[in-house]
Amino acid sequence: MARIVMKFGGTSVANLERIHNVARHVKREVDAGHEVAVVVSAMSGKTNELVGWVQDTPKVAGASSPFYDAREYDAVVASGEQVTSGLLAIALQSMGINARSWQGWQIPIRTDNAHGAARILDIDGSDIIRRMGEGQVAVVAGFQGLGPDNRIATLGRGGSDTSAVAIAAAVKADRCDIYTDVDGVYTTDPRIVPKARRMKKISFEEMLEMASLGAKVLQVRSVELAMVHKVRTFVRSSFEDPDAPGMGDLINPPGTLICDEEEIVEQEVVTGIAYAKDEAQISLRRVADRPGVSAAIFGPLAEAHINVDMIVQNISEDGSKTDMTFTVPFGDVEKAMQVLHSNKDKIGFDVVQNETGLCKVSVVGIGMRSHAGVAATAFKALAEKSINIRAITTSEIKISILIDGAYSELAVRTLHSAYGLDKS
C-alpha cells in the first residue's frame, strides 16, 4: 500500500465525461489498496471566464479606474476549483467510493497575504491523513489557500500544481502524480520537433530550469517545492485508458519521473531544449559607471515585481560610462519603461530603448557540470544556420541564448539535433 496524491489539470476535467474518466483513474488506485488524495483545477476555460468577469465588472459599473480589490478577485476565481472538487467527489461517490471535497481553507492551506499570487507557508495534513487512513478519498480544490486575513488567497496561474506537491509533502506521500494533456516531459516541444523524445526520468534541477525557461508542463513553484521536500513526481496523461496495462504500476507507471539526481544512473550531457517567446530587451545608454548604479536600476524594477532575466553590461573605453541591457517578459515592457523613466535622475542614463519580438532558447543538462565544449557546440550550430546571438547567460546546468523571434523554431530544431537528442 502507498500514499498517493493525484492532480488533474483543467483539460482533464473539462466536462462531466472527462471528470468521470478522472474518477476511473482514482478508482484504479483505490482498488489497488492505496491511500489517495486528489487535487483538481477548474474546468478548462473557467478561470479565464471568471477573470474576465472580474476585469469587466468595474467597466460595467462605470468606474473611472479599471482596478479591483485583489481579495475579491480571489473570492471569484477560486470558485472554479470548488465546483470541480464537488463534481469529482460526486462522481466518485456514484462509483461506490468514499470521497469528500475539501477547499483550501478547510485543510487549512496557510498562505501569505499576496492575494492573486500567494505563496504557501504551511499545511496541516493531519486531518487528511486521518481520513485517508479511514479509506476516504480527499478531493482538494487546488490553486487556493487561506491568507493571514482569513480570506481565500489564490496561488497564481498554474497554482494547482503547487497545491498538489505541497499537499504531497504535508501528508508524506510516496509520490505525486501530475495528470495533464501530455504523457510526460519531452526533450523539447514535440510540436516543433517531431523527433522529440519523452524522458523516463529528469532531475529536479533540470525540470526547474526547463519550467523557468519556457517549458509549460509544470509551474516553477511546484518544482521548487518538490525539490526542497524531495517529492517524487510523475507527469502522466489523463487521456490514457485508466485500465490500460501498466497504468497501475506503483514503481514505474507510464510518464516521466521527476526525482533526485541520485536516482538517475545514466546522466545525459544535455537533457532538453527549452524556449520562451515574446521576450523583450531594454537598453540603457551611457549610464554613469559608479557604485550603486545597478541597484538604482534593478531595485525599482524588483519592487514593481518585474522579472529581469539576461543582463549584459558594456563599459566604455575610458570607464566613465556603461550601457546596460537586460530582458523582461513582453507583458512587462510598458511597466518597466515607466519605472525607469520615473527613476531617471537616480540612475543617470541618456536614453532608454526597447525591442520586442525576441526569443530565449536554452540548453539544459546536469551533465554540463563535467563536460567541456557544450556552449561551443551551440554557438557553432547556430552560426551554421546564420542565427545571430544577441545575449548569452550560463549557469552550471544551462546555457540561455537570446535571438530574434523569427528564428526561434529553427534554433530549437538545430540545437535539438546538435546534441543528438533526435536519436532514440
Side-chain angles (χ1 to χ4, degrees):
M1 184 183 75
R3 184 173 293 162
I4 300 173
V5 173
M6 308 169 73
K7 182 265 175 179
F8 294 90
T11 54
S12 302
V13 293
N15 52 46
L16 295 182
E17 288 72 24
R18 290 187 180 180
I19 288 174
H20 174 70
N21 188 62
V22 164
R24 291 178 60 211
H25 280 286
V26 176
K27 186 176 187 298
R28 180 191 65 235
E29 304 298 352
V30 172
D31 289 347
H34 304 313
E35 295 181 351
V36 179
V38 187
V39 177
V40 292
S41 298
M43 299 166 78
S44 182
K46 180 55 67 176
T47 300
N48 287 339
E49 181 183 26
L50 294 169
V51 170
W53 289 354
V54 171
Q55 293 173 339
D56 290 344
T57 296
K59 302 174 189 175
V60 174
S64 58
S65 169
F67 295 106
Y68 45 81
D69 190 325
R71 291 165 295 189
E72 303 308 331
Y73 168 93
D74 280 353
V76 174
V77 299
S79 65
E81 281 72 18
Q82 180 173 333
V83 170
T84 312
S85 61
L87 291 175
L88 179 56
I90 291 170
L92 289 168
Q93 291 167 3
S94 301
M95 298 167 72
I97 295 172
N98 181 8
R100 182 63 63 206
S101 65
W102 294 70
Q103 310 312 307
W105 60 268
Q106 291 175 303
I107 295 174
I109 299 173
R110 297 285 181 182
T111 74
D112 63 18
N113 208 28
H115 284 278
R119 293 174 74 86
I120 295 174
L121 301 178
D122 181 60
I123 297 179
D124 182 355
S126 58
D127 205 8
I128 287 182
I129 291 173
R130 179 179 64 81
R131 297 289 189 97
M132 286 194 296
E134 295 171 354
Q136 186 176 93
V137 174
V139 184
V140 183
F143 177 60
Q144 59 178 254
L146 184 68
D149 55 0
N150 280 333
R151 297 194 62 87
I152 292 173
T154 62
L155 309 179
R157 301 306 291 265
S160 292
D161 289 346
T162 302
S163 300
V165 174
I167 289 170
V171 302
K172 296 180 172 54
D174 295 284
R175 73 172 198 238
C176 179
D177 292 353
I178 306 290
Y179 286 83
T180 181
D181 53 359
V182 295
D183 60 353
V185 182
Y186 281 72
T187 49
T188 195
D189 188 341
R191 293 171 298 181
I192 293 178
V193 183
K195 291 184 179 180
R197 294 180 290 108
R198 187 182 73 190
M199 293 177 273
K200 290 185 177 180
K201 294 181 180 181
I202 183 172
S203 73
F204 291 126
E205 285 184 272
E206 289 171 320
M207 192 65 238
L208 184 58
E209 292 285 7
M210 294 281 281
S212 64
L213 294 168
K216 294 179 173 59
V217 178
L218 290 175
Q219 189 200 44
V220 174
R221 179 62 180 148
S222 70
V223 184
E224 290 176 346
L225 279 174
M227 183 165 65
V228 169
H229 297 285
K230 296 191 182 301
V231 176
R232 300 175 82 250
T233 304
F234 278 92
V235 177
R236 307 179 61 177
S237 171
S238 63
F239 298 112
E240 296 275 357
D241 183 345
D243 300 318
M247 289 296 286
D249 189 329
L250 179 62
I251 306 302
N252 292 303
T256 299
L257 172 63
I258 306 167
C259 59
D260 195 271
E261 185 179 333
E262 295 174 358
E263 285 197 52
I264 303 175
V265 179
E266 295 182 10
Q267 296 177 354
E268 301 285 347
V269 178
V270 171
T271 298
I273 311 296
Y275 69 97
K277 292 183 177 180
D278 293 329
E279 293 286 301
Q281 180 176 283
I282 295 177
S283 299
L284 298 171
R285 303 299 185 192
R286 295 177 291 282
V287 180
D289 189 25
R290 53 179 171 76
V293 70
S294 294
I297 296 170
F298 300 113
L301 292 170
E303 290 172 4
H305 304 290
I306 296 170
N307 184 32
V308 174
D309 187 15
M310 311 174 88
I311 302 173
V312 178
Q313 184 176 7
N314 296 313
I315 302 174
S316 62
E317 191 172 341
D318 63 4
S320 63
K321 298 287 183 180
T322 183
D323 288 346
M324 190 76 77
T325 300
F326 55 91
T327 61
V328 298
F330 171 74
D332 287 337
V333 172
E334 188 174 334
K335 189 200 297 188
M337 295 293 283
Q338 290 174 352
V339 169
L340 293 170
H341 280 299
S342 63
N343 288 273
K344 183 175 182 179
D345 292 341
K346 293 180 181 178
I347 300 170
F349 57 85
D350 281 358
V351 65
V352 58
Q353 303 166 326
N354 73 83
E355 186 173 355
T356 59
L358 305 179
C359 175
K360 178 176 62 180
V361 182
S362 303
V363 179
V364 178
I366 52 179
M368 290 186 192
R369 290 176 179 149
S370 54
H371 287 78
V374 178
T377 298
F379 303 151
K380 180 181 178 183
L382 295 177
E384 289 174 351
K385 298 294 185 181
S386 300
I387 299 174
N388 186 47
I389 296 174
R390 290 172 166 267
I392 304 162
T393 58
T394 63
S395 73
E396 267 196 320
I397 65 167
K398 66 103 179 188
I399 303 161
S400 289
I401 302 166
L402 188 68
I403 61 173
D404 291 337
Y407 297 98
S408 59
E409 294 191 7
L410 176 60
V412 169
R413 289 194 294 268
T414 298
L415 293 175
H416 194 267
S417 178
Y419 293 106
L421 297 175
D422 291 347
K423 301 173 183 176
S424 58

